[in-house]
Amino acid sequence: MNALKIKENFLTEGSLILINRRYPLKRNMSQEIFLPPILDFPEIRMEPRAASCLNQLLAAWNGSEEIIPVSGFRTAEEQTALRNLALKEHGREYTDRYVALPGCSEHEAGLAIDLAEKSSRIDPICPRFRETDSFSLFCRMAGRYGFIRRYTEEKKHITGIDAEPRHFRYVGYPHSDLMNSLNLCLEEYIVYLRRFTQKKPLILLRGGRKICIFCAEAGQNICLKSGEVAEISGTNAGECVITVWS
């Protein structure tokens, strides 16, 4: 049996971190971290695992003639410039509804991607992304590759952001699948997971494999049996989520 200690820096790193006005990023991300480009769009980059999964999703979906990625990782300076542009063109009310403050955008962690209908002219602030049959198919497939629709009309009172059908967030599988089946946004999902501990974890069966999910605090030791693999993600809200694959 192996023991893994949860370190303090784990709390603010990983695919499940909350990023919003209440929980801003704790550090600036460097462009050099995000080396893998998105398929056929070398100017668009994401966190390595998110980029890999998005590339697999786009290849499996095979609908690049209809929907294309338009915005991935942004620096804090780029987020500031985008917000200033929105303020200038649309005013504060619109900007506060759709454009996050610098340090509070998921794009700055490389975990978010904005998509758009393929067009010769795309709005950088609010890309057009209609709810078509292709959109519905893409949404269903996205969950299998670790992505969720982050901002919906139904949850805007919790997320603080109006509905953005174009904005997808990488949280990793099976969390994307579980969030979709429970109809939980990321804020709600983290609260939901806090009820599970290493002694009483959430247990899932996916593809013939057993998955245990639970929360842990900094300094806690996680015990792994032979053959088990653990994925650790902070929440940026005080704990880590441990996902153990048997």
Side-chain angles (χ1 to χ4, degrees):
M1 185 172 291
N2 298 318
L4 178 65
K5 188 171 184 178
I6 302 301
K7 299 179 181 179
E8 191 74 29
N9 63 295
F10 291 176
L11 303 180
T12 56
E13 301 174 353
S15 59
L16 287 169
I17 55 172
L18 270 176
I19 305 169
N20 53 34
R21 289 194 181 204
R22 184 177 180 186
Y23 298 105
L25 278 169
K26 298 296 191 294
R27 60 193 176 95
N28 289 329
M29 311 299 283
S30 170
Q31 175 110 21
E32 286 70 32
I33 296 174
F34 307 107
L35 295 177
I38 305 307
L39 192 68
D40 298 328
F41 297 89
E43 74 282 3
I44 298 176
R45 299 174 183 272
M46 296 185 75
E47 182 274 337
R49 183 175 293 187
S52 176
C53 289
L54 182 62
N55 282 334
Q56 293 176 52
L57 169 58
L58 292 172
W61 177 57
N62 196 28
S64 58
E65 291 302 312
E66 299 176 71
I67 298 174
I68 60 172
V70 295
S71 183
F73 169 69
R74 298 179 198 142
T75 64
E77 292 75 20
E78 289 170 336
Q79 185 66 26
T80 299
L82 185 67
R83 185 170 171 85
N84 288 340
L85 177 63
L87 286 168
K88 180 180 178 180
E89 295 189 355
H90 299 285
R92 181 164 296 279
E93 181 182 355
Y94 177 96
T95 301
D96 287 343
R97 288 167 58 194
Y98 292 108
V99 185
L101 290 165
C104 303
S105 169
E106 297 183 327
H107 287 277
E108 292 176 63
L111 294 169
I113 188 74
D114 285 347
L115 305 168
E117 291 181 43
K118 193 170 185 179
S119 171
S120 59
R121 185 175 181 181
I122 297 175
D123 185 342
I125 299 171
C126 190
R128 184 178 177 84
F129 193 63
R130 293 182 299 171
E131 300 199 16
T132 60
D133 289 341
S134 291
F135 167 86
S136 298
L137 174 60
F138 185 87
C139 287
R140 289 196 299 272
M141 293 184 65
R144 305 174 201 165
Y145 293 86
F147 288 88
I148 59 168
R149 283 183 66 194
R150 180 67 173 97
Y151 303 119
T152 64
E153 184 71 21
E154 179 186 4
K155 304 292 185 178
K156 68 179 183 180
H157 65 288
I158 300 172
T159 64
I161 299 291
D162 273 23
E164 290 189 5
R166 65 187 176 274
H167 182 104
F168 286 78
R169 161 68 191 265
Y170 180 76
V171 294
Y173 186 89
H175 301 286
S176 52
D177 182 54
L178 192 56
M179 290 172 68
N180 288 333
S181 64
L182 295 173
N183 190 30
L184 299 177
C185 64
L186 185 54
E187 285 84 356
E188 294 173 306
Y189 184 62
I190 289 172
V191 172
Y192 169 74
L193 290 183
R194 285 173 179 160
R195 70 185 70 181
F196 300 106
T197 65
Q198 185 172 17
K199 290 184 178 181
K200 293 183 178 180
L202 171 64
I203 300 176
L204 305 174
L205 292 176
R206 294 290 188 275
R209 299 183 69 182
K210 178 182 176 182
I211 308 170
C212 294
I213 303 173
F214 56 92
C215 285
E217 300 177 350
Q220 185 174 335
N221 287 318
I222 305 302
C223 296
L224 298 176
K225 299 176 183 177
S226 177
E228 290 184 335
V229 176
E231 297 178 0
I232 303 174
S233 174
T235 65
N236 203 30
E239 66 273 293
C240 282
V241 175
I242 316 300
T243 308
V244 179
W245 297 73
S246 297

